[in-house]
Amino acid sequence: VNYVRQILEAQYGPEVVYKGGLQITTTLDLKMQKIAEDEARKQIASLKGKNVTNAALVALNPKTGEILTMLGSVDFFDKKIAGQVNVAIRLRQPGSSIKPLNYVAAFQKGWNPATVLTDVKTVFPIPGQPDYIPENYDTREHGLVNIRTALASSFNVPAVKTLQFVTVQSMMDMARQLGVTTFRNASNYGLSLTLGGGEVQLLELTSAYGTFANSGTRMPPTALLKIADSTGRTLFDLKKTPPKGTQSLDP
């Protein structure tokens, strides 16, 4: 509700939003929202004692960009976890979930899922700083692996080698193409960008994944299905004026 209110204020101004008697129909699927709330609480309960206290979740329809579920925290009224902060639109490190954006940038430069990389301990010198030596989560080396396997297994070393080939700027450009707007200046990031070293909004990253699911067509996320004024006159109807997608990737 707060998210929708922010959008409406930006679009129509506070005066219209609070005094205009607007009738708003959102894209939220209440059944899915309830499932998200229940599952997020179960997940946090299962991680008790591991210093994990909160969760956020976003689900979209990739074909339309409709936000079907948006969970900002597991308990809106819990001050200990800053429950009223909507983490779905706050900056957080994405971890390995950012890797597909790196690999798809490599595909645009001529690589493909069968391209083979060496997953062995590698030293990446950084001028004026200690060398960067990434490790896989299992701390093992896996020798020759193709990108298909490297991504499916979430190996770190091949991802870093891919970013070295792609360049940080190109990965940032790809992210922007897919709707991730929070990577601003290439000099702020190093090769750890592909391992989640740059912060993103969950909503934007979910939308980027939606582009993969939608054959490369990016649909901007939307929370509004219909807006009517106090007399019932329709001001906006998503079904009648569906957003035009952008072909961001080759299918």
Side-chain angles (χ1 to χ4, degrees):
V1 169
N2 288 331
Y3 174 71
V4 168
R5 197 179 282 147
Q6 284 169 13
I7 294 169
L8 293 170
E9 281 184 29
Q11 211 166 323
Y12 295 102
E15 188 74 14
V16 175
V17 173
Y18 294 106
K19 295 181 181 170
L22 295 179
Q23 300 166 52
I24 311 298
T25 309
T26 75
T27 57
L28 201 73
D29 181 318
L30 268 183
K31 189 179 171 190
M32 282 179 68
Q33 181 73 17
K34 178 85 172 63
I35 292 167
E37 289 171 12
D38 291 346
E39 290 302 322
R41 286 184 190 123
K42 278 186 213 161
Q43 181 74 0
I44 292 303
S46 75
L47 295 168
K48 204 172 180 181
K50 296 201 164 127
N51 203 28
V52 180
T53 56
N54 206 354
L57 188 147
V58 169
L60 299 169
N61 179 342
K63 297 209 177 313
T64 61
E66 289 170 59
I67 301 169
L68 304 175
T69 304
M70 180 185 277
L71 180 71
S73 73
V74 289
D75 186 349
F76 185 79
F77 300 102
D78 187 345
K79 287 184 175 163
K80 291 197 299 291
I81 60 166
Q84 296 191 10
V85 173
N86 183 356
V87 182
I89 54 172
R90 289 297 176 102
L91 291 175
R92 292 293 183 272
Q93 290 197 335
S96 291
S97 65
I98 203 73
K99 286 174 181 169
L101 279 63
N102 179 26
Y103 284 118
V104 80
F107 294 164
Q108 287 208 330
K109 287 177 176 277
W111 287 16
N112 64 63
T115 299
V116 173
L117 298 167
T118 50
D119 180 17
V120 295
K121 182 178 175 179
T122 307
V123 176
F124 297 90
I126 302 170
Q129 290 182 40
D131 292 341
Y132 180 46
I133 310 170
E135 273 195 340
N136 292 320
Y137 66 95
D138 61 0
T139 68
R140 292 168 53 204
E141 300 173 0
H142 306 93
L144 294 172
V145 292
N146 59 30
I147 285 179
R148 188 181 281 109
T149 304
L151 176 55
S153 310
S154 198
F155 295 149
N156 289 338
V157 179
V160 174
K161 287 186 171 178
T162 301
L163 183 54
Q164 190 181 41
F165 163 71
V166 165
T167 75
V168 168
Q169 184 62 55
S170 290
M171 181 177 161
M172 282 175 50
D173 293 344
M174 173 56 69
R176 200 166 294 115
Q177 209 170 304
L178 298 178
V180 175
T181 62
T182 53
F183 299 151
R184 295 276 154 75
N185 184 345
S187 63
N188 292 341
Y189 309 105
L191 294 174
S192 66
L193 184 64
T194 187
L195 307 183
E199 295 184 321
V200 301
Q201 291 181 5
L202 176 60
L203 177 61
E204 290 189 347
L205 187 61
T206 307
S207 177
Y209 269 70
T211 305
F212 292 128
N214 197 32
S215 301
T217 301
R218 188 175 91 76
M219 303 301 289
T222 180
L224 300 167
L225 266 186
K226 199 170 183 181
I227 304 172
D229 66 14
S230 55
T231 66
R233 184 172 61 95
T234 301
L235 304 177
F236 168 77
D237 188 332
L238 187 74
K239 299 289 183 227
K240 287 183 179 161
T241 54
K244 288 184 170 59
T246 310
Q247 193 69 45
S248 297
L249 296 171
D250 184 296

